[in-house]
Amino acid sequence: MSLIQLQQVTKRFRRHQVLKGIDLAIERGDRVALVGSNGAGKTTLIRCLLGEYNHGGTLLVGGLEPRSHRTEVLGRVGFVPQISPPLKMPVGQLIQFAAGVCDSDPERMKAVAGDLGLDADAIRHQPFNRLSGGMKQKLLIAIALGRDCELLVLDEPAANLDPEARHRFFGLLAERKEKAAMIISSHRLDEVASLVNRVVEMDQGRIVLDDQVADDVSMTSVLRSRVTLVRPSEAFARAIRQWGFEERDDGLAWEGKVAGPDRLRFLGVLSRYAALLRGIHLEEAENG
């Protein structure tokens, strides 16, 4: 039996049918990009997987129906939402609570937070809702990945992470890729293309594409990059500094490193400044 099975899953909100007969099977080792525009049904499908909604059809996670076996199913799932919950709980208490729910070690969650550049002990008394967007995202990822689970459900998981944290996050996912299934939801395929081996596209409540994709980009690879310009630009400088790049030649060149899975996202940023670009050089770094 597949880890996740959906057969003719439907969901209606009053007169509006959001899911229109979804058939899908996901195995361990599948890393699925769930893509589609706003309103396609991605978030509703995820909430059905998490047991938040009643629905039509059959949906099983590990052989269990999430709505009627929610505690057992959530014990197998690591979830990172797109929008952080408005929790007022202090960080230290939140970690203890999350670890207790899934019978995990809170020190593992703190260690993952540290890998992402967040010192959980230093902010243990701060309310979660007072943290910055990036700090909230790192903590939620640490709670999801700092435990054993069969399924990772990640909704725009790296949206608020700085480039260095994104690289470390990709490395953490690489450690899990053979042991768990992953569903990574995004509005844009280029944000997640290098992380996945399968693409499922939704449109108006239906699956319109389900295809295997090339899986030849290392999730832990790093690219050295040099970008040269025809003239200096303050706007470009602000954008490229966010990637940790350093200025060379009085602003006519910039050098830095890019996580391998972020290459499409990085090139997308550069495309906004196409008229300024003289050259782009990317090469695999030998030692990361």
Side-chain angles (χ1 to χ4, degrees):
M1 178 183 291
S2 300
L3 178 62
I4 301 171
Q5 287 187 313
L6 292 87
Q7 295 178 330
Q8 288 298 297
V9 171
T10 60
K11 178 61 185 174
R12 178 184 295 275
F13 294 99
R14 296 183 180 177
R15 296 183 179 181
H16 180 49
Q17 188 164 356
V18 181
L19 301 180
K20 304 173 182 177
I22 301 295
D23 290 316
L24 187 65
I26 297 175
E27 314 288 345
R28 287 177 180 81
D30 281 350
R31 303 192 306 280
V32 179
L34 183 63
V35 297
S37 60
N38 284 330
K42 304 187 305 298
T43 298
T44 299
L45 180 58
I46 286 173
R47 289 181 174 174
C48 288
L49 280 170
L50 298 175
E52 295 183 20
Y53 292 154
N54 290 313
H55 57 80
T58 300
L59 193 163
L60 299 175
V61 177
L64 299 175
E65 203 286 315
R67 186 66 175 173
S68 56
H69 297 86
R70 196 166 183 212
T71 300
E72 297 96 318
V73 169
L74 291 180
R76 302 179 178 187
V77 178
F79 176 50
V80 180
Q82 178 184 5
I83 300 174
S84 300
L87 300 174
K88 297 180 180 179
M89 192 180 298
V91 168
Q93 186 179 340
L94 176 59
I95 292 174
Q96 293 291 335
F97 172 77
V101 167
C102 60
D103 193 24
S104 187
D105 182 358
E107 295 304 318
R108 283 182 61 187
M109 296 179 178
K110 293 178 186 178
V112 174
D115 286 342
L116 296 170
L118 180 67
D119 186 342
D121 282 327
I123 58 170
R124 64 187 181 279
H125 298 303
Q126 291 189 35
F128 177 81
N129 64 343
R130 297 288 183 89
L131 302 180
S132 69
M135 294 170 76
K136 289 177 182 176
Q137 195 76 352
K138 290 175 182 179
L139 188 58
L140 292 173
I141 290 171
I143 289 171
L145 298 186
R147 46 173 294 210
D148 295 322
C149 55
E150 298 176 278
L151 172 63
L152 287 171
V153 180
L154 312 169
D155 196 354
E156 302 281 1
N160 292 314
L161 298 184
D162 57 85
E164 179 61 27
R166 287 174 68 92
H167 175 52
R168 294 177 181 178
F169 172 57
F170 299 148
L172 291 167
L173 290 185
E175 296 173 3
R176 300 291 190 94
K177 68 178 185 179
E178 305 299 334
K179 304 173 185 176
M182 301 182 194
I183 299 175
I184 305 175
S185 178
S186 180
H187 297 99
R188 296 174 50 183
L189 181 57
D190 64 349
E191 292 278 338
V192 297
S194 298
L195 297 174
V196 302
N197 55 19
R198 183 176 171 189
V199 175
V200 172
E201 182 177 359
M202 295 186 66
D203 184 42
Q204 296 183 15
R206 302 183 190 276
I207 292 177
V208 296
L209 174 71
D210 183 355
D211 201 6
Q212 302 292 321
V213 296
D215 188 21
D216 53 4
V217 174
S218 169
M219 294 168 71
T220 59
S221 65
V222 176
L223 305 172
R224 289 195 182 92
S225 176
R226 180 178 173 87
V227 181
T228 54
L229 308 178
V230 295
R231 58 179 173 79
S233 164
E234 185 56 38
F236 180 84
R238 287 195 299 269
I240 203 74
R241 284 193 182 107
Q242 293 179 6
W243 287 78
F245 275 56
E246 296 182 355
E247 181 180 345
R248 302 285 187 267
D249 301 331
D250 295 325
L252 289 174
W254 293 83
E255 294 181 349
K257 294 181 179 180
V258 178
D262 254 348
R263 67 184 72 193
L264 287 177
R265 183 171 178 266
F266 177 67
L267 292 173
V269 170
L270 294 184
S271 70
R272 304 173 196 166
Y273 304 94
L276 291 172
L277 300 177
R278 184 185 298 278
I280 305 169
H281 179 72
L282 292 168
E283 67 175 355
E284 198 89 11
E286 292 182 5
N287 298 315

